């Protein structure tokens, strides 16, 4: 949070740079640090204690590390090589120790002269480099180093204090160079304006911001570090929660038409038709939604539910309640396949109630129309007319709903399915089509840990459906190690044949389509797997398996005789729909598809899914895909095929997916592995994240408390007129792009 002009000062300027131009350039390009404030908020990753050295015994392989150790031994060897055939080649081998272990450093050629003079036995220094193995021993080749002389000539400023901060660094800029740059700008920390209200800061015993910045970069004790971290985490959590609380407050001021269903209208008629009772969860969430629909301010609610927990049923009942009250409801789906699927299942569930105004339709009914980009002109014209006149109470569509031509008679509710697939602008455009702001229900089948929901979706109230409806079957998941145990893969195809023999159907999912034009060029450059350095490299360097290739191989090989079809995103929408209809009707045994089937496709007779190159998919995506099977009374089976070696992180990820069906648990694993990106921006990564100190999973308590404090502050003073410093911090956090993101959220 770059709070004042001194902190806004660029690190790199044409006439007067705060740092050397080369250092400032590397900081900007590799670490995303542009201003003095950015650099002050580049916090140490950990600290070395001057007296107690890093354990060399615990060094991680292939990682860029910084260690503090003492030179035990240094030897200069000469050798003959192609470059120095007369035995003039030089190699300096230095052994360092920290009491827990030893590590070898090697320097070659002209690079030996300086370390040969400086790294004498007994010398202590910081060393940075990448850990590798040579002759079964750990080594650092050509490490950068900084001597720790501790003598009077050594700058007291640089090495004052007992703790040495180790910063997130790059190969081009070592930790101690970042530390030196920070010493240059640290005096400006005194000018940092404190965004926390004084009463909150004192009430929670937090140190002032300038003190926190000094303590994080130049701590004298471990208690200093704890004080600083506690304070800086609160800054991030609180400023972000104030932004979200102001957004909720602004929404609560908007007018909306209250929508109360009539006691014996469409909703009552629909409920009477249902052949089953709703789960307790569905009833509870429906009550929450109906209460908000009946108010004079727009509902903004996030509905989270596991795959198959019955979210569509809850959303449909909300739409029927709005139609009952004289309004219209629009459901926005991310793909045409999904829009058509929703339209089909909703019309099926409603029966004659979906035929309002038609012969044989119910008097209480309404029209349910579909609107997608690929519809014929006549069908499209009729759908648009039905929306304008109000004849159609419910419309289901893709982003085609957002076009200017689409006019509603009285839009009362917008339901967005799978929110993470929509730009905020698209939701905003659809909401702009109501005479007054419509109510908004956002649905997601990707379970989101509570604290992430509080940050990413902090402007929405949250409902969770965590029960599966009666009749849903458990799904067994297994990892199939295709490279280690090829016979496991053969057995997987036998299982598919067995399921088909029992009258069931199967999905085979691949990461790629396989009709890319540039494939021959890529294939030409491809090395053979044997040439790759390791099985892991081989699995990663091979192009991902493709739908068209796999479908052909299966049809001619292990699944010969079964009815195999393909489905992918580049097919014509009519062809996609025809394939899905045949599969739903049971006319196809095996559907080989890309992730177009990930969301919302519902074929209860499909019992087995084989995911090829499963390591190429994310944890949440695998969980979503798996939810397509086991939707009927027969148990589901999901087989995760991978060529990655057993010890690899990719396999551990797959084992996690196979071991639990709890989506919330998996979403935590997913988040821990990916780390939080910029939770405000749409970018899920990038060096300039707004969360530098706060960990969304670990700091659950701080986030929950900051949310309460922020709500109280905003309720008293929505414009923050009495808190100018907080206003400044907010402006710094919400640069233009993020401000728009929140505005449209």
């Amino acid at each position: 949070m770059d709070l004042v002009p001194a902190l806004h000062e660029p690190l790199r300027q044409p006439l007067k740079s705060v740092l050397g131009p080369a250092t400032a350039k590397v900081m900007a390009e590799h670490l995303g640090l542009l201003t003095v404030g950015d650099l002050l908020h580049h916090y140490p990753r950990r600290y070395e204690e001057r007296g107690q050295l890093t354990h060399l015994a615990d060094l991680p392989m292939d990682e860029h590390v910084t260690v503090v150790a003492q030179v035990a031994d240094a030897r200069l060897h000469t050798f003959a090589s192609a470059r120095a055939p007369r035995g003039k080649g030089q190699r300096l081998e230095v052994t360092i120790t920290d009491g827990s272990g030893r590590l070898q450093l090697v320097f070659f050629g002209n690079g030996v002269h300086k370390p040969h003079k400086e790294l004498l036995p007994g010398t202590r220094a910081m060393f940075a480099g990448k850990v590798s193995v040579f002759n079964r021993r750990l080594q650092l080749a050509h490490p950068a180093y900084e001597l720790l002389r501790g003598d009077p000539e050594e700058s007291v400023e640089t090495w004052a204090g007992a703790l040495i901060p180790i910063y997130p660094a790059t190969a081009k800029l070592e930790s101690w160079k970042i530390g030196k740059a920070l010493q240059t700008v640290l005096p400006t920390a005194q000018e940092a304006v404190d965004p926390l209200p004084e009463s909150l800061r004192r009430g929670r015993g937090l140190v002032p911001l300038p003190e926190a910045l000094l303590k994080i970069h130049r701590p004298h004790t471990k208690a200093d570090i704890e004080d600083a971290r506690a304070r800086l985490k609160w800054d991030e959590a609180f400023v972000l929660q104030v932004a979200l609380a102001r957004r909720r407050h602004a929404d609560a001021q908007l007018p909306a038409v209250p929508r109360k269903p009539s006691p014996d209208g469409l909703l009552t008629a629909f409920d009477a038709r249902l052949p089953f009772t709703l789960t307790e969860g569905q009833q509870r969430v429906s009550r929450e939604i109906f209460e908000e629909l009946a108010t004079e301010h727009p509902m903004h609610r996030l509905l989270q539910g596991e795959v198959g927990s019955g979210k569509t049923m809850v959303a449909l009942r909300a739409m029927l309640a709005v139609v009952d009250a004289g309004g219209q409801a629009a459901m926005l789906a991310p793909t045409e396949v999904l829009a058509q699927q929703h339209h089909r299942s909703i019309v099926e569930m409603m029966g004659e109630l979906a035929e309002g105004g038609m012969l044989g339709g119910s008097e209480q009914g309404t029209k349910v129309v579909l609107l997608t980009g690929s519809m014929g002109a006549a069908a499209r014209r009729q759908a648009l007319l039905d929306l304008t006149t109000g004849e159609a109470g419910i419309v289901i569509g893709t982003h085609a709903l957002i076009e200017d031509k689409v006019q509603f008679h009285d839009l009362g509710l917008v339901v967005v399915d799978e929110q993470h697939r929509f730009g905020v602008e698209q939701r905003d455009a659809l909401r702009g089509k109501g005479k007054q702001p419509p109510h908004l229900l956002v649905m997601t089948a990707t379970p989101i840990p509570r604290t992430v929901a509080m940050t990413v979706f902090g402007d929405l109230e949250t409902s969770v459906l965590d029960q599966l409806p009666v009749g849903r079957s458990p799904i067994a998941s297994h990892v199939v190690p295709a490279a280690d145990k090829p016979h496991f893969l053969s057995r997987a195809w036998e299982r598919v044949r067995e399921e088909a023999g029992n009258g069931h159907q199967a999905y085979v999912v691949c990461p790629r389509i396989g009709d890319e034009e540039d494939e021959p060029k890529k294939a030409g450059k491809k090395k053979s797997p044997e040439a790759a350095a390791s099985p892991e490299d081989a699995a990663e360097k091979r192009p991902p398996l493709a739908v068209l290739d796999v479908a052909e191989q299966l049809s001619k090989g292990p699944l010969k005789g079964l009815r195999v079809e393909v489905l992918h995103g580049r097919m014509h929408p009519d062809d996609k729909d025809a394939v899905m209809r045949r599969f739903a009707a049971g006319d196809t045994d095996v559907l080989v598809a890309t992730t177009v089937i990930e969301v919302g496709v519902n074929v209860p007779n499909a019992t087995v899914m084989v995911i090829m190159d499963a390591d190429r998919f994310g944890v949440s995506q695998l969980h979503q895909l798996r939810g397509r099977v086991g939707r009927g009374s027969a148990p589901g089976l999901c087989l995760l095929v991978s060529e990655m070696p057993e010890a690899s992180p990719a396999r551990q990820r797959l084992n996690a997916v196979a071991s639990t069906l709890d989506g919330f648990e998996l979403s935590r694993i997913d988040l821990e592995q990916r780390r939080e990106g910029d939770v405000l921006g749409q970018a899920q990564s990038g060096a300039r994240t707004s969360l530098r100190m706060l960990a969304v999973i670990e700091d659950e308590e701080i986030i929950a408390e900051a949310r309460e404090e922020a709500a109280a502050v905003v309720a008293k003073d929505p414009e923050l007129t009495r808190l100018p410093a907080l206003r400044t911090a907010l402006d710094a956090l919400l640069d233009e792009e993020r401000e728009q993101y929140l505005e449209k959220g």
Side-chain angles (χ1 to χ4, degrees):
M1 280 143 247
D2 317 338
L3 304 180
V4 296
L7 272 66
H8 273 311
E9 198 174 334
L11 295 170
R12 188 176 167 199
Q13 299 173 49
L15 300 173
K16 170 186 80 91
S17 281
V18 176
L19 305 175
T23 305
K25 183 171 189 253
V26 174
M27 284 192 171
E29 289 175 5
H30 294 272
L31 295 168
L33 307 175
L34 306 174
T35 65
V36 171
D38 288 343
L39 182 52
L40 283 173
H41 288 289
H42 186 70
Y43 306 129
R45 178 180 284 144
R46 59 191 174 84
Y47 300 85
E48 287 297 352
E49 293 184 57
R50 291 293 289 275
Q52 178 200 330
L53 305 178
T54 323
H55 293 302
L56 288 179
D58 304 331
L59 284 181
M61 274 295 296
D62 283 339
E63 278 193 28
H64 200 81
V65 298
T66 303
V67 296
V68 178
Q70 189 160 354
V71 177
D73 180 43
R75 294 172 190 219
L76 188 63
H77 302 272
T78 54
F79 61 91
S81 69
R83 281 189 177 172
R86 294 189 192 145
K88 297 259 179 86
Q90 289 189 305
R91 180 174 80 248
L92 176 66
E93 291 179 359
V94 179
T95 306
I96 59 173
T97 178
D98 66 353
S100 76
R102 294 165 85 80
L103 177 67
Q104 186 153 342
L105 317 177
V106 286
F107 301 87
F108 292 100
N110 295 334
V112 304
H113 305 306
K114 185 168 176 270
H116 189 216
K117 277 191 293 202
E118 293 181 335
L119 297 179
L120 304 171
T123 308
R124 293 180 68 247
M126 287 210 291
F127 301 92
K130 198 172 182 184
V131 183
S132 58
V133 169
F134 182 72
N135 277 348
R136 289 194 282 190
R137 287 168 68 191
L138 290 181
Q139 71 167 28
L140 293 183
H142 282 284
Y145 63 88
E146 179 85 3
L147 302 178
L148 302 178
R149 293 193 181 89
D151 56 30
E153 288 87 336
E154 180 70 33
S155 156
V156 177
E157 282 299 308
T158 311
W159 298 108
L163 294 154
I164 303 166
I166 305 294
Y167 290 92
T170 73
K172 290 193 184 325
L173 196 66
E174 293 88 9
S175 168
W176 55 81
K177 287 187 182 164
I178 296 171
K180 282 184 172 171
L182 266 150
Q183 297 297 343
T184 311
V185 301
L186 207 49
T188 18
Q190 294 300 339
E191 300 178 42
V193 181
D194 204 322
L196 290 190
E198 186 67 9
S199 58
L200 188 158
R201 189 176 70 67
R202 285 186 188 284
R204 295 194 172 268
L206 299 168
V207 299
L209 181 59
E211 189 183 325
L213 290 171
L214 285 171
K215 282 182 167 176
I216 200 79
H217 293 298
R218 284 181 58 185
H220 291 280
T221 62
K222 287 185 177 174
D224 284 353
I225 299 168
E226 287 312 306
D227 286 351
R229 281 187 168 150
R231 165 60 213 247
L232 295 167
K233 284 183 174 191
W234 253 95
D235 273 20
E236 289 178 6
F238 180 70
V239 175
L240 175 55
Q241 289 302 334
V242 167
L244 294 163
R246 291 185 72 213
R247 163 96 177 117
R248 288 195 303 276
H249 182 270
D251 281 342
Q253 309 311 305
L254 294 172
V257 180
R259 309 282 180 176
K260 293 181 185 168
S262 48
D264 48 3
L266 183 55
L267 180 61
T268 310
F270 174 75
D271 284 348
R273 280 181 53 90
L274 285 179
F276 51 83
T277 47
L278 300 174
T279 64
E280 269 173 51
Q282 286 174 317
Q283 291 176 24
R284 183 193 73 248
V285 172
S286 289
R287 279 196 298 277
E288 289 170 353
I289 290 171
F290 291 155
E291 274 169 28
E292 284 190 59
L293 289 175
T295 64
E296 293 180 356
H297 301 291
M299 167 176 82
H300 289 98
R301 190 163 279 280
L302 172 70
L303 173 56
Q304 292 191 62
E306 281 283 18
V307 176
S309 58
K311 292 183 302 299
T312 311
M313 173 59 73
V314 170
L316 174 55
R317 293 183 75 241
M319 294 197 286
L320 294 174
V322 169
V323 174
D324 246 358
Q328 289 169 294
M331 182 184 252
L332 191 57
T335 63
E336 295 211 351
V337 167
L338 190 53
Q340 288 159 342
Q341 173 96 28
H342 275 319
H343 182 253
R344 260 202 304 281
S345 63
I346 283 173
V347 167
E348 234 167 74
M349 284 194 273
M350 286 176 64
E352 74 271 10
L353 296 174
E355 296 165 359
M358 300 184 206
L359 204 60
S362 161
E363 282 176 29
Q364 293 153 317
T366 186
K367 247 189 191 181
V368 179
V369 299
L370 176 68
L371 190 64
T372 63
S374 63
M375 282 170 73
R380 190 179 173 77
R381 248 195 324 273
Q382 185 59 52
L384 290 172
L385 184 65
D386 288 342
L387 287 179
T388 313
T389 59
E391 187 89 4
I394 295 177
V395 58
I396 293 136
T398 53
H399 49 83
L401 279 176
I402 294 162
E403 291 170 15
D404 294 342
K405 289 198 251 337
V406 181
Q407 301 294 324
F408 289 86
H409 177 64
D410 179 13
L411 180 61
L413 171 66
V414 173
V415 178
V416 180
D417 194 17
E418 290 305 317
Q419 183 274 342
H420 61 283
R421 290 157 176 265
F422 281 106
V424 196
E425 294 80 6
Q426 294 170 306
R427 276 195 284 163
D428 198 43
L430 188 52
R431 280 167 62 183
K433 290 184 179 290
K435 291 178 183 143
Q436 281 192 330
H439 299 281
L440 174 70
L441 181 65
V442 169
M443 299 198 296
T444 176
T446 308
I448 304 160
R450 172 172 162 256
T451 44
V452 182
M454 272 190 228
T455 44
V456 183
F457 298 104
D459 57 330
L460 302 172
E461 299 302 328
T462 304
S463 296
V464 177
L465 275 178
D466 46 15
Q467 280 173 299
L468 288 186
V470 180
R472 290 302 297 266
S473 301
I475 304 168
S477 305
H478 302 283
V479 177
V480 177
D484 312 351
K485 299 177 179 167
H487 60 286
F488 275 38
L489 184 58
S490 310
R491 176 69 189 122
W493 300 128
E494 281 172 25
R495 284 291 290 113
V496 171
R497 293 194 81 95
E498 285 164 16
E499 289 297 312
N502 292 332
H504 295 303
Q505 293 159 278
Y507 297 101
V508 176
V509 181
C510 304
R512 215 164 44 110
I513 296 172
D515 59 356
E516 290 82 355
E517 286 171 24
D518 59 348
E519 257 178 21
K521 278 180 270 180
K522 280 189 198 157
K525 287 183 188 168
K526 197 174 70 195
K527 286 183 184 170
S528 69
E530 293 77 14
S534 71
E536 197 159 344
D537 286 351
E540 287 214 324
K541 286 180 181 172
R542 166 178 67 64
L545 291 170
V547 166
L548 300 176
D549 304 339
V550 169
E552 189 181 352
Q553 287 160 14
L554 291 176
S555 303
K556 290 178 179 170
L559 303 185
K560 194 173 180 181
L562 295 184
R563 297 165 297 176
V564 177
E565 287 211 57
V566 298
L567 179 72
H568 58 76
R570 280 213 287 275
M571 289 165 65
H572 187 278
D574 290 350
D575 296 340
K576 276 193 279 196
D577 194 41
V579 168
M580 268 321 298
R581 280 176 187 276
R582 284 196 292 275
F583 190 64
D587 299 336
T588 306
D589 298 314
V590 180
L591 187 62
V592 183
T594 55
T595 53
V596 290
I597 59 141
E598 175 188 347
V599 177
V601 172
N602 185 20
V603 179
N605 191 44
T607 53
V608 61
M609 175 177 285
V610 182
I611 303 178
M612 307 302 290
D613 279 346
D615 48 88
R616 311 261 181 159
F617 299 97
V619 171
S620 295
Q621 201 171 25
L622 292 169
H623 183 58
Q624 286 273 30
L625 285 165
R626 165 171 68 184
R628 302 299 114 218
V629 295
R631 299 178 78 87
S633 52
L637 174 66
C638 176
L639 301 173
L640 306 165
V641 180
S642 171
E643 289 185 6
M644 297 303 267
E646 191 161 0
S648 65
R651 274 284 286 281
Q652 287 162 10
R653 217 170 54 230
L654 295 182
N655 291 339
V657 175
S659 67
T660 179
L661 290 171
D662 181 341
F664 287 93
E665 178 55 31
L666 287 173
S667 70
R668 286 182 86 97
I669 292 168
D670 196 20
L671 193 75
E672 280 160 10
Q673 287 182 338
R674 281 189 300 126
R675 300 205 175 127
E676 299 90 4
D678 188 338
V679 298
L680 273 189
Q682 287 151 308
Q684 282 298 300
S685 62
R688 299 193 66 194
T689 164
S690 62
L691 299 189
R692 294 156 199 251
M693 186 63 78
L694 196 71
V696 174
I697 294 280
E698 286 163 36
D699 297 319
E700 187 161 345
E701 226 168 280
I702 295 176
I703 293 169
E705 288 173 16
R707 184 178 163 104
E708 277 177 36
E709 294 273 14
V713 164
V714 171
K716 269 194 217 152
D717 181 9
E719 292 305 311
L720 308 179
T721 42
R722 293 191 291 281
L723 297 166
L726 175 56
R727 198 52 258 207
T728 311
L730 208 56
D731 293 341
L733 175 74
L734 304 179
D735 54 35
E736 209 173 315
E737 180 192 342
R738 293 188 187 131
E739 183 72 82
Q740 285 175 354
Y741 178 84
L742 280 182
E743 279 303 308
K744 293 174 176 173

